Amino acid sequence: MNAYAAWAHPQLAAQVLRVRRDGCSEVALRVEPLNDARQVLWLEQRIRALPGVRRVAIDRPAQRVRVVWDVQRTSLPSLLDNFAIAGCPAQPLQQDSIDDARAQEQHDALKRLLVAGMCSMQVMTYAFVIYIGVVDFVDFSTRNLFRWLGLLTSLPVVFYSALPFFRGAVRELGQRRLGINLPVALAVALVFLASTFNTLRGSGEIYFDSVTMFVFLLLGGRYVELRSRHHSGALGDAAIDATPLLAQRRRADGELETVAAIALLSGDRVHVAEGGTVPADGVLESAGAQVDEALLSGESRPLQRLRGERLVAGSVLLSGPAELRVEHSGATTVAARLGALASRARHARSLIAPSDREVGRFVARVLVLTALTALGWLLLDPGRAFEAAVAVLVVACPCAFALAGPATLTRALGVLAGRGVLVTDGKALDTLATVDYALFDKTGTLSVPQLDRRAVEPLRGDTPDRVLQLAAALAHESSHPLARALADAARQQALSLQAQSVRVHAGAGISGDIDGRELRLGRADFALALAGQTAPSVVTDTLLLADAQGAIATFHLDEQPRADARRMLDALRADGIAVAIASGDSAPRVATLAARLDIGDWHARQSPAAKLERLQAAREHGHTTLAVGDGSNDAPLLAGADVSAALASGTELAQAHADLLLLDGHLGSLADARAIARQSRQLMAQSRRWSLLYNLCAVPFAALGLVPPWLAGIGMSLSSLAVILNALRVGGDTAAGRSGASGPAARPRELRA
C-alpha cells in the first residue's frame, strides 16, 4: 500500500472523492484495458468483497471503474492497493469524472425502446381483433373494449417512449427550423389524438397500432446511432484520463513531495522519472533528456532536449530522470489547449451543419393536404371531414419518409462495422459522400515503421537470420510500433525461439531470457547497460540487441508507406477527391513519402493550429473536407473537418474526435466507406422518392373517401416495409456507390489558394 500512501492526504483525496447523501464516498478510477471477461469478473468480485463496498460499476470501453464504499472501513489507499493486487492498477480521477451522463443517456434510450417494443406488440394483438371485424362479426362491446385496451397500452409509448421526439420538436421550433423530430411528433400527436377522440365517442377508426410501431422503429434506429456515438466518447475519456494527476515536486530543502499535477504553480521544480509522463509545460533544468512528443507534435522520432529548452505536458521521458521548472499546468498546458481547440472546432462545425430541408418540405405538404381535405369535406359533407382528414394524415404519415434515413443508416453502420469501419457520427456518412478534398497526417497514418532485412547488422559473427530471430522472440511480447515492425520482418521465418521472463521497460526496451541467456532489445544505452557499457553515438538512432558481453546486433528501422496507402489514395483521386499531406515531421521525410505516394500538395513542420487553418482555407474555397490522422496533435484537425477518420491504432484523443474509426488499421477501408456512403445516399433518396410516389397515388383516394382507414394503415405499413427492404441493399453492390465517379465531374477540383 506504500505506493498509494499519498492518496491518504486529505487535500489529494478531496479532489477525487465525492461524499454521498448516505454517508458513503464515490470515486472514479482509470484502469488498464480489460480485454478478458474473466478478468472483469474477478476484479469486480474482489472489490465487492472489501469491507464497506456497496457498488462497483465497470465501463470497459472507457477503462473506468466507479466504486461506492465506506471510507471508514476501507481507505482509499487500501482500495487502490487491492486493484493492484488484482492485476489491474487504478488511478483516481477528478470528481467531475464521477457523473456518467453517457451511461444514463444510453439506459434511458434503452428503456424507452423496450417500453415501445412491448407495448406495440400488445397493441397489435388488440388491433387484430378489431381488423377481424371487417370480414367477420365482432360485437360492439368487444370492439369497444379492445379500443380502450389499445388506448391504455399506447399511453406509455406516446407519453414516455416518444417524449424525445416531442422535446426535439420543441427545440426545432425554437430554432425556427424543420427537422426530423417535428414531423414525427406531429404524426404521433395528431394520430393519437384522433384515435383517442374516436375511442371516447365510440365510433370511427383508430390507429394506435400504427403510432406505437412507428415510435418503436424510430427509437431502434436512434439507439444504434447512440451506441456508436457513446463508444467514441468512451475512447475520449480514456485519453483524457491518461493525464497524470500526481507529480513529484521538489521542496526548498531538496526533498520530493507528491502533489496534485493541477496544483503545480509557475516556478515549481518537478522531478520526472525515466519513462514517466511530463505533468506540466516547463523548462528543462537537467543537462539533457530524450523525449517522445510524437502524440503532440507529429515528430516521428524521439527528440533530444537540452538545458533551457521547453518540455510539454503529455510527452514521455525516454531518458532520465529530469528536472523541470514549471511554466504552465492544468488547463493552460499545450495538451489541454489542443483539447480545447478540438472542442471549439467541432462546436463550430456543428453550428454550420445544414438542416434537412426535404423533411421540412415533406411535412409542409402533408399538413397542406390534410387541411385542404378537411376544408373540402366541410364544404361538401361536414360529417365526413374529420375521418377523411385523418385518413389522409395516416396515408401521408411520414413513416416511410422518416424511416428512410434511420433504416438506411442502421444498415450502413452494420455493413461498415463488418468491413472494419466504425461510424461514430451518423451525419458524417452523408457528408462523406460529398467530400472532394482530403488532408492526411503522415506519421502513423500514411506511413509505418519498417525494417529492411538488409539493415540488420550482426556485430559478433552471427548470421542476420539468427540475430533477427533473437530480437523477434523479444519483440513478439510488445505492442510498440517499432517492436511490431521488427516482428513483422521476422514473420517469414519459422520462429523456433521463445523468450522467458519477458519484461517491457517503458520508453527503453524489452528484456528477457532465451535459452538461459539474458538479452535486451531497445535503446542503445538500455541494452548496453547489461554489460556495463556506454552507447556510442553512431547507434543512438537504432534498435540494439545485447547480452552480458555487449552488443550483438543493430537494427536500422525506416519509415515506409502503409501497404494499402497508395491504393486508397488512387481510389480517392479517381473518385474526384484532391489529396494533401500536412505533417509535423521534417520536410525531407514528408517530401520522400509524398513522392512515393504521388502527392504533390504536402506541407511539413505543421503545428495542430496550422493544420486546422489549412483545412479551413480549403473549406472557404468551397471544398467539403475530409481529415485523416492518428495522433493527439491531429485532434483539432479531425474535429474541424466536415468529416474525419482515425486509425484504431492511433491515440484515444484522435479517435474521440473522429467520425469514422478504421478498426482494422487498413486505409483501404476508407475507400470502402466512401463507396458505402455514396450508395447509402442514393438508396436513401430512392426510398424517399418511393414514399413521395406512394403519397401521390394514395392521398387522392383517401381524400375522396375511397380508402378505408384500416386499408390506409396497411398501406402505410407496406410503404415502411418497402423502405426497410430497400435499405438492406446497402453493401450488396458497392460499385453503385462509385457510379458517380466517372466523367469530368469526378476530377479533383484545383485548389484556389
Side-chain angles (χ1 to χ4, degrees):
M1 197 172 71
N2 293 334
Y4 304 101
W7 290 106
H9 195 286
Q11 291 183 349
L12 286 178
Q15 296 185 45
V16 299
L17 295 182
R18 184 174 66 183
V19 180
R20 295 159 52 96
R21 294 180 180 178
D22 58 4
C24 291
S25 296
E26 188 172 9
V27 68
L29 305 170
R30 180 184 187 269
V31 297
E32 296 298 323
L34 299 171
N35 300 319
D36 189 348
R38 292 174 298 180
Q39 183 185 12
V40 175
L41 179 61
W42 159 245
L43 176 64
E44 183 175 0
Q45 290 176 341
R46 180 177 183 86
I47 301 304
R48 284 186 181 275
L50 295 177
V53 174
R54 296 190 179 182
R55 182 186 177 193
V56 179
I58 300 177
D59 186 347
R60 291 175 62 181
Q63 301 177 28
R64 285 186 176 185
V65 178
R66 297 170 61 202
V67 183
V68 178
W69 88 110
D70 185 355
V71 295
Q72 301 298 326
R73 302 182 62 185
T74 299
S75 65
L76 178 58
S78 177
L79 178 70
L80 298 175
D81 190 52
N82 276 274
F83 270 90
I85 294 174
C88 188
Q91 170 186 301
L93 304 175
Q94 296 288 344
Q95 278 190 13
D96 55 8
S97 300
I98 295 176
D99 294 322
D100 196 349
R102 271 200 319 273
Q104 296 175 3
E105 183 184 11
Q106 186 168 311
H107 291 160
D108 180 74
L110 181 59
K111 287 188 294 185
R112 296 181 191 276
L113 176 63
L114 293 177
V115 169
M118 291 185 294
C119 291
S120 63
M121 289 188 293
Q122 193 63 46
V123 171
M124 289 296 293
T125 61
Y126 301 147
F128 181 72
V129 175
I130 299 175
Y131 291 151
I132 289 178
V134 178
V135 296
D136 197 2
F137 175 75
V138 175
D139 63 88
F140 176 79
S141 60
T142 301
R143 293 189 64 190
N144 203 38
L145 171 63
F146 279 93
R147 284 170 172 264
W148 279 98
L149 290 175
L151 170 61
L152 295 176
T153 310
S154 300
L155 289 176
V157 178
V158 175
F159 290 98
Y160 175 69
S161 296
L163 191 58
F165 300 121
F166 292 113
R167 290 173 177 170
V170 171
R171 285 195 302 269
E172 291 168 1
L173 289 175
Q175 299 169 359
R176 297 182 179 180
R177 66 183 181 90
L178 295 177
I180 190 61
N181 289 297
L182 187 58
V184 173
L186 285 174
V188 172
L190 295 178
V191 175
F192 176 76
L193 290 175
S195 301
T196 302
F197 178 77
N198 287 339
T199 300
L200 293 175
R201 69 175 185 163
S203 62
E205 299 297 331
I206 60 174
Y207 316 102
F208 295 122
D209 54 335
S210 300
V211 171
T212 54
M213 184 59 67
F214 180 42
V215 173
F216 172 68
L217 292 175
L218 286 180
L219 288 177
R222 289 197 173 190
Y223 183 73
V224 172
E225 184 180 1
L226 183 69
R227 289 290 302 270
S228 297
R229 190 168 67 249
H230 283 181
H231 182 76
S232 175
L235 294 174
D237 284 345
I240 296 172
D241 298 344
T243 304
L245 284 181
L246 299 179
Q248 297 292 315
R249 183 171 62 186
R250 194 170 295 280
R251 299 193 310 231
D253 59 4
E255 295 296 325
L256 294 177
E257 61 177 346
T258 302
V259 299
I262 62 173
L264 293 174
L265 301 176
S266 178
D268 285 347
R269 294 181 62 199
V270 175
H271 175 85
V272 185
E274 180 177 355
T277 302
V278 178
D281 295 349
V283 177
L284 181 64
E285 293 193 337
S286 302
Q290 194 177 41
V291 295
D292 182 1
E293 297 181 359
L295 301 185
L296 296 170
S297 66
E299 177 64 52
S300 60
R301 300 188 181 185
L303 301 176
Q304 185 69 34
R305 298 299 187 191
L306 303 177
R307 188 191 306 274
E309 294 187 325
R310 285 177 171 77
L311 301 183
V312 294
S315 56
V316 179
L317 192 67
L318 300 180
S319 63
E323 295 288 326
L324 180 74
R325 187 178 75 252
V326 175
E327 288 187 332
H328 304 285
S329 63
T332 61
T333 62
V334 171
R337 292 197 298 270
L338 277 177
L341 179 61
S343 298
R344 289 198 302 271
R346 180 171 288 276
H347 178 66
R349 185 184 67 177
S350 65
L351 293 179
I352 61 175
S355 61
D356 194 345
R357 296 183 179 88
E358 293 184 11
V359 172
R361 289 195 294 267
F362 191 95
V363 176
R365 291 166 185 164
V366 171
L367 295 178
V368 169
L369 288 173
T370 303
L372 291 176
T373 301
L375 180 61
W377 280 107
L378 284 174
L379 297 176
L380 298 175
D381 186 357
R384 300 184 61 184
F386 180 78
E387 290 190 2
V390 171
V392 170
L393 185 61
V394 172
V395 168
C397 179
C399 289
F401 194 87
L403 280 174
T408 307
L409 174 63
T410 301
R411 171 63 178 176
L413 293 178
V415 171
L416 288 175
R419 301 188 183 186
V421 180
L422 176 64
V423 181
T424 63
D425 186 349
K427 296 179 181 178
L429 199 61
D430 184 65
T431 307
L432 181 61
T434 64
V435 163
D436 60 359
Y437 176 81
L439 187 62
F440 287 84
D441 173 52
K442 179 186 72 72
T443 306
T445 302
L446 293 176
S447 64
V448 292
Q450 186 174 351
L451 176 69
D452 188 341
R453 293 173 62 88
R454 293 171 297 181
V456 178
E457 183 180 355
L459 301 177
R460 288 180 13 201
D462 296 300
T463 64
D465 288 344
R466 173 62 179 175
V467 296
L468 189 58
Q469 277 196 339
L470 291 172
L474 295 174
H476 273 290
E477 306 299 325
S478 173
S479 60
H480 191 280
L482 295 179
R484 289 200 301 266
L486 196 151
D488 290 341
R491 190 161 293 165
Q492 298 177 355
Q493 297 178 336
L495 188 61
S496 58
L497 300 178
Q498 186 172 2
Q500 305 292 334
S501 303
V502 177
R503 182 180 178 187
V504 178
H505 304 263
I510 314 168
S511 63
D513 296 335
I514 299 179
D515 295 334
R517 178 185 180 189
E518 185 177 359
L519 297 174
R520 286 191 177 187
L521 173 69
R523 288 202 332 259
D525 55 347
F526 164 77
L528 293 176
L530 185 61
Q533 301 174 2
T534 58
S537 58
V538 293
V539 295
T540 56
D541 199 27
T542 63
L543 284 180
L544 191 140
L545 178 68
D547 59 9
Q549 282 72 47
I552 300 175
T554 59
F555 304 89
H556 303 272
L557 284 92
D558 195 7
E559 204 173 32
Q560 300 292 333
R562 286 186 177 270
D564 54 352
R566 182 60 181 263
R567 184 170 60 255
M568 178 273 301
L569 292 172
D570 289 343
L572 294 183
R573 283 188 284 247
D575 209 15
I577 300 177
V579 297
I581 295 178
S583 173
D585 210 344
S586 61
R589 298 194 192 104
V590 179
T592 300
L593 183 73
R596 298 183 65 175
L597 296 176
D598 195 22
I599 299 177
D601 185 8
W602 59 268
H603 310 273
R605 295 300 185 190
Q606 297 287 292
S607 66
K611 291 182 180 181
L612 183 58
E613 290 176 0
R614 190 166 299 281
L615 190 79
Q616 292 171 342
R619 184 186 291 115
E620 290 175 357
H621 284 92
H623 293 279
T624 303
T625 58
L626 164 68
V628 186
D630 75 323
S632 297
N633 62 308
D634 298 319
L637 176 71
L638 298 174
D642 294 310
V643 60
S644 56
L647 280 75
S649 57
T651 68
E652 288 89 347
L653 186 59
Q655 295 179 39
H657 289 285
D659 301 311
L660 289 80
L661 298 180
L662 309 183
L663 301 180
D664 55 7
H666 294 159
L667 287 174
S669 302
L670 187 60
D672 289 339
R674 162 79 168 186
I676 293 295
R678 299 191 67 174
Q679 186 186 30
S680 300
R681 185 182 177 91
Q682 293 173 0
L683 292 178
M684 188 183 305
Q686 187 180 73
S687 295
R688 289 183 171 181
R689 288 194 297 269
W690 287 358
S691 177
L692 291 174
L693 180 62
Y694 162 76
N695 287 335
L696 291 175
C697 295
V699 167
F701 293 97
L704 294 174
L706 302 177
V707 178
W710 63 269
L711 183 59
I714 293 177
M716 181 186 64
S717 301
L718 290 177
S719 66
S720 300
L721 180 61
V723 167
I724 295 175
L725 293 177
N726 193 44
L728 295 178
R729 296 171 55 198
V730 173
D733 180 16
T734 54
R738 301 188 184 96
S739 60
S742 60
R747 299 191 187 100
R749 290 184 288 172
E750 295 295 331
L751 296 184
R752 301 177 298 277

PDB file of all heavy atoms in Angstrom, residues 5 10 25 32 35 220 227 279 289 355 412 506 514 521 535 571 626 677:
ATOM      1  N   ALA A   5       0.176   5.541  -0.751  1.00  0.00           N
ATOM      2  CA  ALA A   5       0.025   6.233   0.530  1.00  0.00           C
ATOM      3  C   ALA A   5      -0.281   7.715   0.351  1.00  0.00           C
ATOM      4  O   ALA A   5      -0.921   8.336   1.208  1.00  0.00           O
ATOM      5  CB  ALA A   5       1.295   6.054   1.366  1.00  0.00           C
ATOM      6  N   PRO A  10      -5.539  14.355   2.981  1.00  0.00           N
ATOM      7  CA  PRO A  10      -6.911  14.875   2.817  1.00  0.00           C
ATOM      8  C   PRO A  10      -7.088  15.770   1.591  1.00  0.00           C
ATOM      9  O   PRO A  10      -8.126  15.721   0.931  1.00  0.00           O
ATOM     10  CB  PRO A  10      -7.141  15.653   4.114  1.00  0.00           C
ATOM     11  CG  PRO A  10      -6.197  15.038   5.100  1.00  0.00           C
ATOM     12  CD  PRO A  10      -4.992  14.643   4.304  1.00  0.00           C
ATOM     13  N   SER A  25     -18.732   7.286   0.177  1.00  0.00           N
ATOM     14  CA  SER A  25     -17.936   8.061  -0.773  1.00  0.00           C
ATOM     15  C   SER A  25     -17.938   7.351  -2.115  1.00  0.00           C
ATOM     16  O   SER A  25     -18.112   6.129  -2.199  1.00  0.00           O
ATOM     17  CB  SER A  25     -16.502   8.235  -0.276  1.00  0.00           C
ATOM     18  OG  SER A  25     -16.474   8.996   0.914  1.00  0.00           O
ATOM     19  N   GLU A  32      -6.276  -0.185 -16.422  1.00  0.00           N
ATOM     20  CA  GLU A  32      -5.704  -0.694 -17.662  1.00  0.00           C
ATOM     21  C   GLU A  32      -6.798  -1.378 -18.482  1.00  0.00           C
ATOM     22  O   GLU A  32      -7.837  -1.773 -17.943  1.00  0.00           O
ATOM     23  CB  GLU A  32      -4.572  -1.692 -17.362  1.00  0.00           C
ATOM     24  CG  GLU A  32      -3.384  -1.061 -16.655  1.00  0.00           C
ATOM     25  CD  GLU A  32      -2.724   0.019 -17.486  1.00  0.00           C
ATOM     26  OE1 GLU A  32      -2.647  -0.143 -18.718  1.00  0.00           O
ATOM     27  OE2 GLU A  32      -2.306   1.033 -16.904  1.00  0.00           O
ATOM     28  N   ASN A  35      -9.520  -6.680 -21.341  1.00  0.00           N
ATOM     29  CA  ASN A  35      -9.892  -7.384 -22.566  1.00  0.00           C
ATOM     30  C   ASN A  35     -10.492  -8.759 -22.310  1.00  0.00           C
ATOM     31  O   ASN A  35     -11.069  -9.361 -23.204  1.00  0.00           O
ATOM     32  CB  ASN A  35      -8.667  -7.530 -23.481  1.00  0.00           C
ATOM     33  CG  ASN A  35      -8.086  -6.177 -23.870  1.00  0.00           C
ATOM     34  OD1 ASN A  35      -8.821  -5.237 -24.151  1.00  0.00           O
ATOM     35  ND2 ASN A  35      -6.765  -6.074 -23.866  1.00  0.00           N
ATOM     36  N   GLY A 220     -35.493   2.413 -32.399  1.00  0.00           N
ATOM     37  CA  GLY A 220     -34.476   1.396 -32.683  1.00  0.00           C
ATOM     38  C   GLY A 220     -33.323   1.956 -33.491  1.00  0.00           C
ATOM     39  O   GLY A 220     -32.157   1.708 -33.184  1.00  0.00           O
ATOM     40  N   ARG A 227     -25.373   4.222 -29.567  1.00  0.00           N
ATOM     41  CA  ARG A 227     -24.306   3.322 -29.114  1.00  0.00           C
ATOM     42  C   ARG A 227     -22.986   3.638 -29.791  1.00  0.00           C
ATOM     43  O   ARG A 227     -21.925   3.654 -29.156  1.00  0.00           O
ATOM     44  CB  ARG A 227     -24.705   1.867 -29.393  1.00  0.00           C
ATOM     45  CG  ARG A 227     -25.813   1.333 -28.521  1.00  0.00           C
ATOM     46  CD  ARG A 227     -25.356   1.141 -27.086  1.00  0.00           C
ATOM     47  NE  ARG A 227     -24.221   0.238 -27.015  1.00  0.00           N
ATOM     48  CZ  ARG A 227     -24.322  -1.081 -26.868  1.00  0.00           C
ATOM     49  NH1 ARG A 227     -25.517  -1.643 -26.757  1.00  0.00           N
ATOM     50  NH2 ARG A 227     -23.242  -1.837 -26.800  1.00  0.00           N
ATOM     51  N   PRO A 279       4.222  16.125 -16.394  1.00  0.00           N
ATOM     52  CA  PRO A 279       2.918  16.546 -15.875  1.00  0.00           C
ATOM     53  C   PRO A 279       2.548  17.986 -16.190  1.00  0.00           C
ATOM     54  O   PRO A 279       1.415  18.389 -15.951  1.00  0.00           O
ATOM     55  CB  PRO A 279       3.071  16.340 -14.367  1.00  0.00           C
ATOM     56  CG  PRO A 279       4.515  16.603 -14.112  1.00  0.00           C
ATOM     57  CD  PRO A 279       5.255  16.100 -15.331  1.00  0.00           C
ATOM     58  N   ALA A 289      17.781  15.558 -22.062  1.00  0.00           N
ATOM     59  CA  ALA A 289      16.808  14.475 -21.945  1.00  0.00           C
ATOM     60  C   ALA A 289      16.278  14.148 -23.329  1.00  0.00           C
ATOM     61  O   ALA A 289      16.181  15.014 -24.209  1.00  0.00           O
ATOM     62  CB  ALA A 289      15.659  14.864 -21.016  1.00  0.00           C
ATOM     63  N   SER A 355     -29.616  21.896 -42.208  1.00  0.00           N
ATOM     64  CA  SER A 355     -30.839  21.213 -41.790  1.00  0.00           C
ATOM     65  C   SER A 355     -31.387  20.406 -42.960  1.00  0.00           C
ATOM     66  O   SER A 355     -31.053  20.629 -44.117  1.00  0.00           O
ATOM     67  CB  SER A 355     -31.869  22.226 -41.309  1.00  0.00           C
ATOM     68  OG  SER A 355     -32.199  23.111 -42.363  1.00  0.00           O
ATOM     69  N   ALA A 412     -26.179   0.735 -43.083  1.00  0.00           N
ATOM     70  CA  ALA A 412     -24.831   1.159 -43.467  1.00  0.00           C
ATOM     71  C   ALA A 412     -23.853   1.013 -42.306  1.00  0.00           C
ATOM     72  O   ALA A 412     -22.705   0.588 -42.501  1.00  0.00           O
ATOM     73  CB  ALA A 412     -24.859   2.604 -43.963  1.00  0.00           C
ATOM     74  N   ALA A 506       9.236   0.748 -20.040  1.00  0.00           N
ATOM     75  CA  ALA A 506       8.618   1.887 -20.725  1.00  0.00           C
ATOM     76  C   ALA A 506       9.676   2.863 -21.216  1.00  0.00           C
ATOM     77  O   ALA A 506      10.531   3.311 -20.461  1.00  0.00           O
ATOM     78  CB  ALA A 506       7.648   2.607 -19.786  1.00  0.00           C
ATOM     79  N   ILE A 514      16.464 -16.091 -23.196  1.00  0.00           N
ATOM     80  CA  ILE A 514      16.314 -17.039 -24.296  1.00  0.00           C
ATOM     81  C   ILE A 514      17.378 -18.111 -24.131  1.00  0.00           C
ATOM     82  O   ILE A 514      18.582 -17.832 -24.185  1.00  0.00           O
ATOM     83  CB  ILE A 514      16.455 -16.347 -25.667  1.00  0.00           C
ATOM     84  CG1 ILE A 514      15.378 -15.283 -25.852  1.00  0.00           C
ATOM     85  CG2 ILE A 514      16.377 -17.367 -26.793  1.00  0.00           C
ATOM     86  CD1 ILE A 514      15.467 -14.534 -27.171  1.00  0.00           C
ATOM     87  N   LEU A 521      16.698  -5.709 -25.758  1.00  0.00           N
ATOM     88  CA  LEU A 521      16.445  -5.121 -27.067  1.00  0.00           C
ATOM     89  C   LEU A 521      15.819  -3.752 -26.857  1.00  0.00           C
ATOM     90  O   LEU A 521      14.843  -3.611 -26.130  1.00  0.00           O
ATOM     91  CB  LEU A 521      15.488  -6.001 -27.881  1.00  0.00           C
ATOM     92  CG  LEU A 521      15.007  -5.423 -29.216  1.00  0.00           C
ATOM     93  CD1 LEU A 521      16.146  -5.358 -30.216  1.00  0.00           C
ATOM     94  CD2 LEU A 521      13.844  -6.258 -29.769  1.00  0.00           C
ATOM     95  N   ALA A 535      26.782   3.710 -24.658  1.00  0.00           N
ATOM     96  CA  ALA A 535      26.396   3.628 -26.060  1.00  0.00           C
ATOM     97  C   ALA A 535      27.199   4.592 -26.906  1.00  0.00           C
ATOM     98  O   ALA A 535      27.277   5.781 -26.591  1.00  0.00           O
ATOM     99  CB  ALA A 535      24.908   3.936 -26.210  1.00  0.00           C
ATOM    100  N   ALA A 571      -7.805   5.401 -55.260  1.00  0.00           N
ATOM    101  CA  ALA A 571      -9.266   5.267 -55.299  1.00  0.00           C
ATOM    102  C   ALA A 571      -9.943   6.597 -54.988  1.00  0.00           C
ATOM    103  O   ALA A 571     -10.937   6.958 -55.629  1.00  0.00           O
ATOM    104  CB  ALA A 571      -9.719   4.194 -54.306  1.00  0.00           C
ATOM    105  N   LEU A 626     -12.271  16.262 -45.792  1.00  0.00           N
ATOM    106  CA  LEU A 626     -12.039  15.032 -45.036  1.00  0.00           C
ATOM    107  C   LEU A 626     -10.662  15.121 -44.411  1.00  0.00           C
ATOM    108  O   LEU A 626      -9.693  15.463 -45.095  1.00  0.00           O
ATOM    109  CB  LEU A 626     -12.126  13.806 -45.954  1.00  0.00           C
ATOM    110  CG  LEU A 626     -11.553  12.484 -45.420  1.00  0.00           C
ATOM    111  CD1 LEU A 626     -12.392  11.963 -44.265  1.00  0.00           C
ATOM    112  CD2 LEU A 626     -11.460  11.443 -46.542  1.00  0.00           C
ATOM    113  N   ALA A 677     -21.015   5.134 -48.366  1.00  0.00           N
ATOM    114  CA  ALA A 677     -21.678   6.412 -48.109  1.00  0.00           C
ATOM    115  C   ALA A 677     -22.445   6.890 -49.338  1.00  0.00           C
ATOM    116  O   ALA A 677     -23.588   7.348 -49.238  1.00  0.00           O
ATOM    117  CB  ALA A 677     -20.651   7.458 -47.676  1.00  0.00           C
TER     118      ALA A 677
END
